Amino acid sequence: QVQLVESGGGLVQAGGSLRLSCAASGRTFSTYAMAWFRQAPGKEREFVSAIRWGGGNLYIAYYADSVKGRFTISRDNAKNTVYLQMNNLKPEDTAVYYCAADPLYSGTHGEEYDYWGQGTQVTVSS
């Protein structure tokens, strides 16, 4: 069983930055794919970013087009934590951000991830 706890959300002005954290329990964190999704009011959940183990010390990150160049996903396996650095935030980034994990799946379909956090609110004012 893996438990995920997000933190770091808040209110920020457009153009500002936030860093989200997701702390995971479990001893096999380093090989799990970790992802961030978000859900805005009245909208469906959407993929934001993911990072998966590529073998050895290689980790591969990928992003939704809407955040590419502005968001950066990273992980610290020693701390069992994955981060989402969000720069140049826009009002359309306002959403609840969720962390997800899976031992096998690393794609963009949220329903395929086995483990989810409770979410953290990000609000970007114009």
Side-chain angles (χ1 to χ4, degrees):
Q1 188 75 9
V2 174
Q3 292 184 328
L4 305 174
V5 179
E6 302 100 332
S7 61
L11 173 64
V12 64
Q13 288 187 333
S17 298
L18 282 174
R19 188 177 80 156
L20 305 183
S21 300
C22 173
S25 64
R27 293 177 292 177
T28 58
F29 171 80
S30 63
T31 62
Y32 274 50
M34 303 296 296
W36 289 95
F37 288 79
R38 67 187 181 186
Q39 187 165 21
K43 295 187 176 181
E44 293 186 353
R45 181 179 60 195
E46 65 173 352
F47 170 80
V48 175
S49 181
I51 184 167
R52 67 174 178 87
W53 182 53
N57 292 324
L58 177 65
Y59 287 88
I60 300 168
Y62 40 100
Y63 303 89
D65 287 342
S66 59
V67 306
K68 201 172 293 182
R70 300 187 298 121
F71 290 11
T72 303
I73 191 170
S74 62
R75 62 194 294 163
D76 185 338
N77 292 331
K79 296 182 179 179
N80 275 12
T81 300
V82 64
Y83 304 98
L84 185 69
Q85 177 66 44
M86 305 185 295
N87 297 330
N88 190 22
L89 282 160
K90 304 175 181 180
E92 51 264 42
D93 295 319
T94 296
V96 177
Y97 283 70
Y98 297 91
C99 177
D102 196 273
L104 295 175
Y105 184 76
S106 61
T108 62
H109 298 284
E111 64 272 16
E112 299 294 330
Y113 285 83
D114 281 349
Y115 305 103
W116 289 86
Q118 81 290 349
T120 185
Q121 176 71 47
V122 171
T123 303
V124 184
S125 63
S126 56

